[in-house]
Amino acid sequence: AQSVAQPEDQVNVAEGNPLTVKCTYSVSGNPYLFWYVQYPNRGLQFLLKYITGDNLVKGSYGFEAEFNKSQTSFHLKKPSALVSDSALYFCAVRVRNSGNTPLVFGKGTRLSVIA
Amino acid sequence: DTGVSQDPRHKITKRGQNVTFRCDPISEHNRLYWYRQTLGQGPEFLTYFQNEAQLEKSRLLSDRFSAERPKGSFSTLEIQRTEQGDSAMYLCASTKGGPQSGQETQYFGPGTRLLVL
């Protein structure tokens, strides 16, 4: 079975500082990995995904994530946080070549960027 | 905006009543997913359609839940005899791709928030 762990329920960071939101995964096979962001009372918005190739993936709004196979991690990063980045962030995984199995999501990490 | 839309956005009902939610996917997307999200949790898969065929159902989908996608376009999710435990955000997502890919991005609608009193 596949699973995702987001070890931090909440991450606080000062505006302008770099941010990291952690994600580790467990799958029996090679993964596809995704990050989504959710603003209050809204659906999930896609940020970025890792499929294959370069381990550093760049996405929307200046976010990037690094796939680390040995550590089974896919941490989300941004060099300089904005107050508007404050939201709920979800990591999700799907096993490669598993057909159309659904995404498995972590519990989410609430990011709070303080001015 | 041609994204995924869901209706209604909010629904308050009394325990025991039936409710139905609608999802309109992005027009060229052949796959449609329903997820449920409770407070403090990530979305959990309920069911999935490819065109009009319902291909997979989660064990979370009790016999009080039914979903349809009659013409391979919009989908409905009905909950019969609602219970307080059904209170959640119900999310719909759509995507387009081949039969064995799996790398496609799922695009989510704004969700329907259900409160069962």
Side-chain angles (χ1 to χ4, degrees), chain A residues 62-84:
Chain A
F63 284 93
E64 58 188 31
E66 185 164 12
F67 171 62
N68 187 317
K69 187 173 183 178
S70 63
Q71 297 186 1
T72 62
S73 68
F74 189 56
H75 300 333
L76 182 70
K77 299 182 180 185
K78 186 173 182 180
S80 178
L82 300 173
V83 172
S84 57

Side-chain angles (χ1 to χ4, degrees), chain A residues 28-49:
Chain A
S28 53
N30 291 314
Y32 294 137
L33 292 154
F34 301 77
W35 275 103
Y36 285 84
V37 60
Q38 186 175 36
Y39 296 97
N41 298 314
R42 301 285 296 277
L44 277 67
Q45 294 180 30
F46 170 72
L47 280 179
L48 51 79
K49 64 183 176 183

Side-chain angles (χ1 to χ4, degrees), chain B residues 62-111:
Chain B
S62 76
D63 56 6
R64 295 185 297 106
F65 286 69
S66 62
E68 294 182 341
R69 196 183 183 198
K71 298 182 179 179
S73 56
F74 73 91
S75 176
T76 58
L77 177 68
E78 181 182 15
I79 309 174
Q80 295 182 329
R81 305 180 303 282
T82 52
E83 301 173 357
Q84 289 182 327
D86 297 332
S87 296
M89 173 82 89
Y90 289 84
L91 294 165
C92 175
S94 71
T95 190
K96 180 182 179 182
Q100 291 295 327
S101 49
Q103 59 182 263
E104 312 89 355
T105 299
Q106 291 185 20
Y107 293 93
F108 284 79

Side-chain angles (χ1 to χ4, degrees), chain A residues 102-103, chain B residues 33-36 43-48 56-61:
Chain A
L103 289 172
Chain B
Y33 299 80
W34 285 98
Y35 292 84
R36 182 174 69 184
E44 297 173 291
F45 169 73
L46 291 178
T47 189
Y48 146 62
E56 191 172 342
K57 292 192 286 187
S58 162
R59 56 185 170 80
L60 292 176
L61 209 69

Side-chain angles (χ1 to χ4, degrees), chain A residues 42-60:
Chain A
R42 301 285 296 277
L44 277 67
Q45 294 180 30
F46 170 72
L47 280 179
L48 51 79
K49 64 183 176 183
Y50 171 78
I51 302 301
T52 189
D54 194 345
N55 289 342
L56 184 65
V57 178
K58 293 188 182 295
S60 306

